[in-house]
Amino acid sequence: NGLAWLADEPDSTERDQVELQLQLMIGNSAQSVEGFATPANEPVWHRARELAERLGDLDETTSAMNGLFVMHFDRGECAQGRELAREIVRLAEAGGSRAGLVRGHGSAALASLYLGEPRLCLEHARSSIREYRPSDFHDITYGIGTDQGVVAHGAWGAAAWFLGLDGEALEHLEEAVTLGRHLDSMISTSIGLMFANVVHLWRRDYERVAELADELIHLATTLDSVQPLRFGRMARDAACAHLGSTDGIEASVAATEQLFAAPGGQGGAPLVMAVLADTYLTIGDATTALGLADLGLAVSGASGERFVDPELHCLRAAALQHEGADPGDIDAAVEAARSSADEADAFSMRLRVELRIAERRRAAGLDIDTTRLAGIVGDAPAEADSLDLAAARTLLDHHPGAHV
C-alpha cells in the first residue's frame, strides 16, 4: 500500500505531503466504514497532526484535530472533545483558516449540545454555517466523510428546538437532510436524519419520525453501518409504540436494544437510553424503562452529557408511579426532573417535563399543580409552536386554578 511504499522514501517535504494526504484519507474512510470511535484511527490522527504541523499546513492540522475530536466525542468523552474543538477555533482565528473555523465551530456546537448548553451550541453552529461553502464536502471532508454543513445545520436545529424556536429548528433540520441528499453523501444524510428523528420524536411528530426512520434504516443497510441502523430502528420502534402499532413491538424493541449492546460508539448513550426507556414505558414495561432511565443517568453523570437528564428523570418518575413505588421516591424523581430542566435553561425541555408530570398525575386521578406549568407557558418564545405548547394551553384552559 501507499504507506508501505513511503517507508522506503527518504525524508522530504514532498514525502510528508503525500503521507499526510494518505493518513487523512485513511482516517476519514475508516470512520465511514468502521465507526467514528474505531481505536485504529487514534494513531492515524496523531500522525496526521504531526505531519501537518511539521509542514505548517494549518488547514490540515485542523483536519487531523477534528478527527481526534470525533473519536473522543463518539467515545463519550464529550468535554475532552470540546476542548479540542475550542483549540481548533483558536488556531483557525489566529491563522486565518476558514476550513478550521468551519470544523472547529461545528464540532464545538455538537459538544455543547450534548453537554446541555443549547445557547452556546447555537452560537457555534451559526458561526460554522457563516463560513461554510457547498464545495466544502469535497474540499474539507475530501468527499468521503460527514459534511460539516450537515453537522452544523443539525446541531442548530436541535438547539433551536431546546430553546423553543420551533420554526428555526424545523428549517435547519430539513436543511441538514436536504444538504446530505444534494451532496449524494449517504453518511452525511444519515447524520442529518438522526438529528431530525430526535427532534421530531420530542415534538411528538410520530408519523414523520416513522418516515425519516425508514429512510435512515435503508441508508444504513446500504452502507452496512451499525450506528445509523440501530438509531433508525430505535426511532421507528418509538414511533410505532406511540402510534399504537404494537404488533410485534416488544420483540422489535428488545432486538433493537441488543443492537446497542454490541461494541460501538458511546457518544449520545444517555439519549439512546431515554428513547428506549420511553418506548418501553409506552408499551407498558415500566420495570425495563426504570432500569434504562437509571442507566442513562449513570452514563450522563460519568460522561457529562447532561442534555437529556430532565427527560431521564421524568421517565424515572413515570416508571416509579406506574410500579406503585413509594410516593416519596416518585416526588424525589419529579423534583430532580424539574431541577435539571431549570438548570438547562431550555424552554421546550422544561415544558415537556412539566406537561408530562401534569398529564400522568391527571391520568392517575391525582391532584395536579398548574402554577409551574402556567409560568413556563407564560415564558414561551414568540416562535414557539408545538403540540406540547398547545396541549399545555388546553390543560390550563380547563384547569385555571393553581391546584386541581
Side-chain angles (χ1 to χ4, degrees):
N1 61 36
L3 289 179
W5 174 78
L6 283 172
D8 297 326
E9 290 296 300
D11 288 343
S12 68
T13 298
E14 291 74 15
R15 182 212 169 282
D16 286 352
Q17 288 172 335
V18 172
E19 184 186 351
L20 173 60
Q21 293 308 309
L22 282 172
Q23 296 284 9
L24 292 171
M25 292 296 285
I26 289 169
N28 278 279
S29 298
Q31 279 185 349
S32 299
V33 176
E34 299 175 32
F36 296 112
T38 176
N41 253 2
E42 186 163 6
V44 172
W45 295 127
H46 283 297
R47 176 60 175 165
R49 182 176 182 179
E50 176 190 341
L51 290 165
E53 288 177 343
R54 183 190 301 169
L55 291 165
D57 190 331
L58 181 56
D59 283 354
E60 301 298 40
T61 296
T62 65
S63 177
M65 291 173 69
N66 206 57
L68 286 168
F69 161 83
V70 171
M71 182 192 69
H72 285 297
F73 180 80
D74 207 48
R75 286 178 180 173
E77 299 162 354
C78 205
Q80 191 172 347
R82 184 164 68 175
E83 285 310 306
L84 262 173
R86 286 172 168 170
E87 187 179 353
I88 293 171
V89 171
R90 287 194 294 269
L91 289 172
E93 287 177 341
S97 169
R98 186 188 66 81
L101 291 173
V102 172
R103 292 180 177 119
H105 281 299
S107 294
L110 191 57
S112 298
L113 176 68
Y114 276 47
L115 289 168
E117 300 175 359
R119 294 185 191 281
L120 187 57
C121 170
L122 205 56
E123 290 177 19
H124 281 298
R126 287 169 172 164
S127 295
S128 182
I129 292 299
R130 272 198 300 270
E131 302 293 338
Y132 176 79
R133 305 287 182 272
S135 60
D136 284 346
F137 176 61
H138 297 284
D139 298 339
I140 291 181
T141 323
Y142 317 107
I144 54 176
T146 303
D147 181 68
Q148 294 292 323
V150 170
V151 172
H153 278 298
W156 186 332
W161 175 82
F162 271 99
L163 297 171
L165 309 175
D166 289 278
E168 192 172 328
L170 295 176
E171 175 189 346
H172 287 279
L173 292 168
E174 184 63 28
E175 181 60 29
V177 175
T178 301
L179 179 57
R181 291 170 180 154
H182 175 74
L183 294 169
D184 197 24
S185 166
M186 288 191 288
I187 188 65
S188 299
T189 306
S190 296
I191 297 299
L193 288 167
M194 289 165 73
F195 276 114
N197 264 304
V198 171
V199 174
H200 282 289
L201 264 177
W202 285 339
R203 281 177 51 82
R204 297 198 276 178
D205 302 332
Y206 299 124
E207 291 182 355
R208 181 61 175 151
V209 172
E211 294 172 5
L212 294 169
D214 282 343
E215 182 179 356
L216 181 55
I217 291 167
H218 172 73
L219 286 175
T221 303
T222 305
L223 281 168
D224 193 23
S225 183
V226 173
Q227 285 170 276
L229 174 63
R230 56 194 185 184
F231 202 96
R233 287 274 300 273
M234 177 186 74
R236 186 176 64 185
D237 288 342
C240 288
H242 282 285
L243 289 169
S245 305
T246 55
D247 231 11
I249 189 72
E250 291 184 27
S252 182
V253 177
T256 300
E257 188 181 355
Q258 285 304 306
L259 282 177
F260 282 101
Q266 297 302 306
L271 168 63
V272 170
M273 298 301 105
V275 175
L276 287 173
D278 181 57
T279 304
Y280 273 112
L281 192 61
T282 303
I283 64 176
D285 187 348
T287 301
T288 303
L290 181 59
L292 286 165
D294 284 339
L295 178 59
L297 288 166
V299 173
S300 77
S303 68
E305 294 182 18
R306 300 286 193 179
F307 72 126
V308 292
D309 275 11
E311 177 83 352
L312 287 164
H313 283 297
C314 191
L315 288 164
R316 188 170 187 278
L320 287 170
Q321 182 179 316
H322 191 278
E323 293 205 309
D326 183 277
D329 292 338
I330 299 171
D331 289 345
V334 166
E335 287 311 308
R338 286 170 166 165
S339 175
S340 57
D342 288 345
E343 187 178 336
D345 188 27
F347 168 79
S348 291
M349 187 57 83
R350 290 179 66 220
L351 175 63
R352 179 177 171 82
V353 165
E354 198 61 33
L355 181 61
R356 294 301 174 278
I357 292 168
E359 287 177 337
R360 282 167 181 152
R361 287 186 64 83
R362 184 176 61 175
L366 301 171
D367 288 348
I368 59 174
D369 182 353
T370 59
T371 307
R372 182 179 168 86
L373 182 62
I376 294 171
V377 170
D379 291 337
E383 302 92 330
D385 180 18
S386 66
L387 289 173
D388 277 355
L389 185 56
R393 285 173 171 158
T394 299
L395 189 150
L396 291 170
D397 284 345
H398 285 88
H399 304 292
H403 294 274
V404 297

